[in-house]
Amino acid sequence: MEAQAISIALIDVSAGYEASSNRVRLSVAADFVADVNSLLRGANREVDPRALDVAFRSGSLVIETAPIAAAPSLFADLNSLLVSEMLDRLDSKRREVLERWQKATKVLPGVTYRVQAAFLSRPLLVSAETDYRADDADQWVQVERYVRGEILDLGGATKANAHVRLPDGSTLKVTTERQVLHD
């Protein structure tokens, strides 16, 4: 594959203004640059960011690399993200970055990440609407548990809880919402 330039953008309006090369919070800029470094480099250090020229483009905070020649793993990883939101087959460092970005978009409304390159059929977006995840990630399910024992104490000044003595003599502290204890 011929050398390709990659454009990686952070679209962030969570601070009340759009982050750009003209104005961005220092911590956001530092984290973004570190993430771009990890994304390009990968675990096998396929791309050496120290030898890579970049340009900051106008608009959102955009880093555009000089053409990268020999990075088949990087190109394959980015292409695979267009096909599936599963991160299992990605390079471990790139996977960490994508997981961090996906988490940030869920926590901070107004944050989106965009990766563009000529070899990608469309821009790769990480936003609150996407769901990039690893299949081995923690799976949360709602459950009900029933505990048999003697209630020693109910209430709590700041947190509603119950202290229950179990049949084996151990004590269990259960924290819940006040309404649950009231009911």
Side-chain angles (χ1 to χ4, degrees), residues 93-145:
K93 292 292 184 185
R94 292 185 187 115
R95 177 179 170 171
E96 289 174 11
V97 171
L98 269 291
E99 286 174 335
R100 211 171 19 253
W101 285 359
Q102 186 64 75
K103 184 177 179 181
T105 64
K106 301 287 185 190
V107 174
L108 294 170
V111 174
T112 302
Y113 297 88
R114 182 184 66 232
V115 180
Q116 289 180 279
F119 64 89
L120 295 173
S121 59
R122 66 184 189 320
L124 169 66
L125 292 176
V126 181
S127 67
E129 289 78 38
T130 59
D131 188 25
Y132 289 100
R133 68 198 178 291
D135 196 26
D136 64 350
D138 293 338
Q139 301 293 322
W140 289 88
V141 294
Q142 190 169 1
V143 298
E144 275 188 36
R145 293 189 77 185

Side-chain angles (χ1 to χ4, degrees), residues 6-176:
I6 300 173
S7 172
I8 305 169
L10 167 64
I11 302 153
D12 181 3
V13 293
S14 64
Y17 57 88
E18 185 174 5
S20 69
S21 56
N22 294 328
R23 181 178 180 200
V24 65
R25 288 176 289 176
L26 179 60
S27 63
V28 171
D31 291 345
F32 181 61
V33 169
D35 284 346
V36 169
N37 185 22
S38 292
L39 183 78
L40 295 173
R41 187 176 198 171
N44 62 2
R45 300 178 178 186
E46 185 175 42
V47 176
D48 183 7
R50 293 174 299 175
L52 187 62
D53 290 334
V54 298
F56 288 90
R57 298 288 178 221
S58 61
S60 302
L61 187 58
V62 181
I63 297 175
E64 186 173 309
T65 69
I68 300 172
S73 174
L74 171 63
F75 299 158
D77 283 350
L78 293 176
N79 268 315
S80 73
L81 292 171
L82 291 177
V83 177
S84 171
E85 292 183 339
M86 301 306 290
L87 302 175
D88 297 325
R89 296 184 182 201
L90 248 57
D91 172 278
S92 62
K93 292 292 184 185
R94 292 185 187 115
R95 177 179 170 171
E96 289 174 11
V97 171
L98 269 291
E99 286 174 335
R100 211 171 19 253
W101 285 359
Q102 186 64 75
K103 184 177 179 181
T105 64
K106 301 287 185 190
V107 174
L108 294 170
V111 174
T112 302
Y113 297 88
R114 182 184 66 232
V115 180
Q116 289 180 279
F119 64 89
L120 295 173
S121 59
R122 66 184 189 320
L124 169 66
L125 292 176
V126 181
S127 67
E129 289 78 38
T130 59
D131 188 25
Y132 289 100
R133 68 198 178 291
D135 196 26
D136 64 350
D138 293 338
Q139 301 293 322
W140 289 88
V141 294
Q142 190 169 1
V143 298
E144 275 188 36
R145 293 189 77 185
Y146 295 93
V147 178
R148 176 166 280 166
E150 177 186 354
I151 296 177
L152 301 175
D153 183 32
L154 280 176
T158 56
K159 292 182 186 174
N161 59 46
H163 296 262
V164 181
R165 181 177 302 141
L166 302 176
D168 67 357
S170 62
T171 304
L172 177 66
K173 180 180 174 185
V174 180
T175 304
T176 185

